[in-house]
Structure formats: C-alpha cells, structure tokens
Amino acid sequence: MSDRSFLQWPFFDDSHRELADRADQWAAANLANVDHADLDATCKRLVAALGEAGWLELTAVDPRDENSRIDVRSLCILRETLARHNGLADFAFAMQGLGTGAISLFGTAAQKSEWLNKTRTGKALSAFALSEPASGSDVANIAMTATRDGDDYVLDGEKTWISNGGIADVYTVFARTGEAPGAKGLSVFIVPADTPGLEIAERLEVVAPHPLARLAFKGCRVPASAMIGKPGEGFRIAMSVLDVFRSTVAAAALGFARRALDDSLDRVTERELFGAPMSELQMVQGHIADMALDVDASALLVYRAAWLKDHGAARVSREAAMAKLYATDHAQDVIDKAVQLHGGDGVRKGHIIESLYREIRALRIYEGASDVQKVVIARQTLINSKGR
Ligand SMILES: Cc1cc2nc3c(=O)[nH]c(=O)nc-3n(C[C@H](O)[C@H](O)[C@H](O)COP(=O)(O)OP(=O)(O)OC[C@H]3O[C@@H](n4cnc5c(N)ncnc54)[C@H](O)[C@@H]3O)c2cc1C
C-alpha cells in the first residue's frame, strides 16, 4: 500500500482525497494487465476506458459551462496514481489534456464544443504538435509556416516527436504566421487528422515506447476559424499550456518514484540476506531514507505548483519548473536505487523496476529539458530579486 499521508497536506480538500481513493481503486482493478505489444490498439483502448470511467473529464474544461476550469491538483493526483500503476495509462490520460490544452485555455465556444466533448469522453484522441527537427528547446525558432490564403491558412513544414502521432484524431499545431520575428510571429491551429496534406512521415521508437511520430504538412489547408486565439499569440499560448501541464509531468515522475519506493519496501522487508531481512542492513536503510526524502520533497513541489495555479495565479512558471526539474531528476535517482535494491531482478526485462528505469528518462527531456527548467527558475528568481 502506497503512503497516502500527503493527502492530509493543506493543498487538498476532501474532494481530492475522495478522487485519489477512487482513482487508486479503479487503477488497481483495470490496469493490472495492460498489453504493451500493440501500442496503438492499447492506447486507444485505454483512452476509451478512461473516458468511460469519467477520468478524462478532468483533462479539459467543460464546454457547456463557461466558468469551468481545469483543476491542476486533480490532474496531478490522476497522473501520479496512473503512473504508479501503469505508465502507458498515464500517457493516454495526459495526452488528452496536453493535446487540447490550447483549446481549453484559449478556444472559442465553438472550438470547445466541437472537440472537448469528444476528447473528454474518450471518443477522440488528441496531440500537441510544437517540436520540429531544428526547434525542440528553441521554440521561438519554429520554421513551419501557416500562410493566409483567402478564408484559409495553408500549413507547410514538419513536426517531430509528436506523442499520439499516428493515432490522434486532432492535432494542435504551432506554426509561423510572421506577425513579427521569433516568438511573436507564431500562431496555433486545430488540425483534424484527416485534413488533406497532413501525413505521418515516420513512426518513432523510444526506450519506453508509446505512439510517437514525425508529421509532414504539405499544402495542408485549414479554415481561418481553426486558429486558436489571435495571430501571433502562439508562443504565449504554448507557454500557458506548458505552465499547466509541466506540473503534471512532475506528478507522473512522482508516481513512478512512489512505485519504485513501494516495491523496494516490499523487497527489503521480504528478502533475507545474511540471516536477516535486508531492511536491517544500515546501508539499505540509507537508500530507503534518500528515496523517501526525494518522494516527499517532490510531492511538496508538485502540489505547491498545482495549488498555486488552482488558487488563481496567472502564471506559475517558476514553481512548475521547480516541480518538474526536481521531481523528474530525483525520480531517476529513486528508481536507480530501486534497481540496486532489487539486484538482478531490477534489470530483468519485463520486471516493473526495469520498466520504470526506462519510463522515467524521457520526462527529463520533454516539455522542457531539465536544463531549460533551470533557465526558467534562474530568470524568474533574478526578476523577483529586483523587488527586494
Ligand atoms: C518521448 C518524447 C515525447 C515527446 N512528445 C512531444 C509532443 O507530444 N509534442 C511536442 O511538440 N514535442 C514532444 N517531444 C519533443 C520534446 O519536447 C523535445 O525533445 C525537447 O523539447 C528537446 O528538444 P530536442 O529534442 O530538439 O533537443 P535540443 O533542443 O537539441 O536540446 C538538447 C539538449 O540541450 C540542452 N539544452 C537545451 N536548451 C538549453 C539551454 N537553454 N541551456 C542549457 N542547455 C540546454 C538540454 O540538455 C537538452 O536536452 C517529445 C520528446 C520525447 C523524447
């Protein structure tokens, strides 16, 4: 049983505690035997199941209620819980939010009702298409163009590393509309997967596989009404979306770390070495202490960022960056210690600890690499220091 004491922290109210219990029970009942052989089919099945159970309602605003907001603490609780049970289920859940984040935060009523009713019920899958071969960290350097032509925009260029690429029904795509150089000349568009001119150029494989693709846009025409927000607002919209979802990446890392700690606690209390449980060896206790500290410190940073956002902070870039940097880097340490404590089993293909070791790595790269989070933290800390 995982440590639940964090739910008593003042960041939460009773509805969060109840949500955490329900999510844990659902995950235990539904995610024990997720098939990782056919990723596309499994992800579609997971989205359908998450939709049927109502969990996807948390990933986007309710189009029927103009006061509806995304509750970041609920998103984080769900991601932490799903990641603790199954990484692919967390991925399937997270993409429904990231892929539609721009619509939830900046979409018109018509855009929300066209897409969010479907993504919140698992009837459509979504994807977030920002990165390009020459602009991953350097978002302002996006080369893909969107050229106005009458009542339409025509998209030309390439996107890469697009999660859900190949299985998504809708992509939110960032492209250069050229109002100004660099970051101020980008806009974002809703592009249904069946739009002529949008092709899956290549499927990509990574160490912890999930559907991932490089996309080619060749004369891909969308109506001007497909733009989210105004021309030139793309960069600001992308950063606002990441401001919400970065804390949730940290929450997923926390879920992986908590699973590694839980299974390590079972291992060291059940396995005997030199005539006594491993847990009596002081160096083992040293590992357990480090792991428990990393997990709690990560949880504090994750739920602080989420609480701040839910309590009306316009931007939480510094806090979300701290949460993502710390939780992902330290989850890597926690999982590495879990591998050590599990001995040979820790590197045995198919063992949960071996899969966590692979799952955690990409979280330190996507949605802003760890180094980029340091830049964000330093920049904001220096700005804040001017007010001293
Ligand atoms: C599994 C996976 C899923 C992904 N899913 C998506 C998705 O759904 N949608 C999407 O748009 N993108 C996605 N990405 C892309 C991801 O966001 C980029 O890979 C990431 O932003 C890094 O960009 P890059 O790979 O081009 O590396 P680069 O930008 O070339 O960076 C390489 C390294 O340089 C260092 N670095 C970068 N900037 C700085 C700096 N300012 N100071 C110091 N060091 C720095 C970092 O260590 C970084 O890892 C995904 C990537 C992966 C691996």
Side-chain angles (χ1 to χ4, degrees):
M1 181 69 177
S2 220
D3 177 13
R4 318 277 289 156
S5 59
F6 74 100
L7 290 165
Q8 301 309 318
W9 293 350
F11 300 122
F12 305 105
D13 54 38
D14 284 344
S15 70
H16 295 114
R17 288 182 267 278
E18 189 262 338
L19 178 77
D21 284 344
R22 270 195 303 122
D24 195 43
Q25 283 161 20
W26 184 87
N30 290 278
L31 302 179
N33 295 308
V34 174
D35 171 18
H36 286 232
D38 182 348
L39 287 175
D40 289 4
T42 300
C43 284
K44 287 180 191 171
R45 261 198 308 274
L46 283 167
V47 169
L50 289 161
E52 209 169 296
W55 302 123
L56 297 180
E57 288 174 18
L58 299 170
T59 61
V61 299
D62 181 350
R64 293 158 305 182
D65 173 5
E66 62 182 27
N67 296 319
S68 167
R69 291 171 59 91
I70 294 174
D71 186 72
V72 186
R73 286 166 296 171
S74 299
L75 272 185
C76 288
I77 287 171
L78 252 291
R79 287 205 66 178
E80 179 185 338
T81 306
L82 293 173
R84 185 157 49 76
H85 286 272
N86 182 270
L88 212 49
D90 165 61
F91 165 80
F93 173 83
M95 286 316 301
Q96 294 301 95
L98 182 65
T100 57
I103 304 176
S104 273
L105 299 181
F106 297 94
T108 61
Q111 289 171 335
K112 287 178 187 168
S113 92
E114 181 175 4
W115 288 107
L116 302 186
N117 287 323
K118 291 185 219 160
T119 59
R120 290 171 93 244
T121 51
K123 301 213 161 49
L125 279 78
S126 70
F128 177 78
L130 181 68
S131 303
E132 297 182 1
S135 63
S137 308
D138 188 3
V139 175
N141 191 37
I142 278 180
M144 182 166 156
T145 54
T147 312
R148 184 83 196 221
D149 182 24
D151 291 338
D152 299 334
Y153 278 92
V154 179
L155 277 57
D156 286 286
E158 234 179 35
K159 294 286 169 188
T160 193
W161 300 117
I162 307 309
S163 297
N164 268 355
I167 62 167
D169 297 289
V170 63
Y171 296 84
T172 47
V173 180
F174 295 79
R176 184 162 298 286
T177 37
E179 290 69 27
K184 297 217 165 97
L186 305 177
S187 302
V188 54
F189 300 88
I190 301 171
V191 185
D194 57 5
T195 309
L198 164 54
E199 290 164 18
I200 307 303
E202 183 185 5
R203 295 296 295 264
L204 307 171
E205 282 187 54
V206 285
V207 287
H210 67 239
L212 199 64
R214 181 165 61 84
L215 314 177
F217 294 78
K218 295 176 186 161
C220 178
R221 187 174 284 272
V222 292
S225 60
M227 184 185 282
I228 305 171
K230 296 195 182 64
E233 286 187 342
F235 186 84
R236 186 173 74 85
I237 292 176
M239 293 307 123
S240 301
V241 170
L242 293 177
D243 223 40
V244 171
F245 287 94
R246 256 182 199 152
S247 310
T248 80
V249 178
L254 174 60
F256 291 142
R258 223 186 265 286
R259 177 65 184 265
L261 174 58
D262 292 347
D263 285 20
S264 297
L265 288 169
D266 290 343
R267 166 95 183 183
V268 301
T269 47
E270 284 161 14
R271 185 169 174 82
E272 299 225 332
L273 283 185
F274 311 107
M278 269 178 85
S279 57
E280 289 185 15
L281 297 169
Q282 280 197 342
M283 273 196 277
V284 168
Q285 291 177 7
H287 285 322
I288 296 294
D290 288 341
M291 294 161 87
L293 177 59
D294 281 346
V295 164
D296 266 23
S298 298
L300 282 162
L301 288 168
V302 167
Y303 290 110
R304 172 184 73 158
W307 182 90
L308 271 175
K309 191 74 189 163
D310 290 341
H311 282 74
R315 294 294 295 261
V316 291
S317 308
R318 177 175 169 274
E319 292 78 8
M322 283 184 171
K324 181 174 187 281
L325 173 66
Y326 193 92
T328 57
D329 280 5
H330 286 261
Q332 184 93 57
D333 293 344
V334 170
I335 293 166
D336 191 60
K337 289 194 171 77
V339 170
Q340 201 66 22
L341 291 173
H342 276 76
D345 280 340
V347 289
R348 188 161 49 86
K349 214 169 167 195
H351 195 281
I352 176 69
I353 299 297
E354 177 268 347
S355 76
L356 291 169
Y357 191 69
R358 289 182 290 103
E359 293 271 7
I360 189 58
R361 192 60 186 86
L363 278 67
R364 296 170 62 204
I365 295 171
Y366 62 63
E367 291 189 45
S370 293
D371 319 65
V372 173
Q373 305 309 323
K374 287 186 188 170
V375 174
V376 173
I377 295 165
R379 193 177 291 153
Q380 198 59 47
T381 304
L382 288 164
I383 290 171
N384 294 353
S385 75
K386 291 193 184 127
R388 279 181 305 171

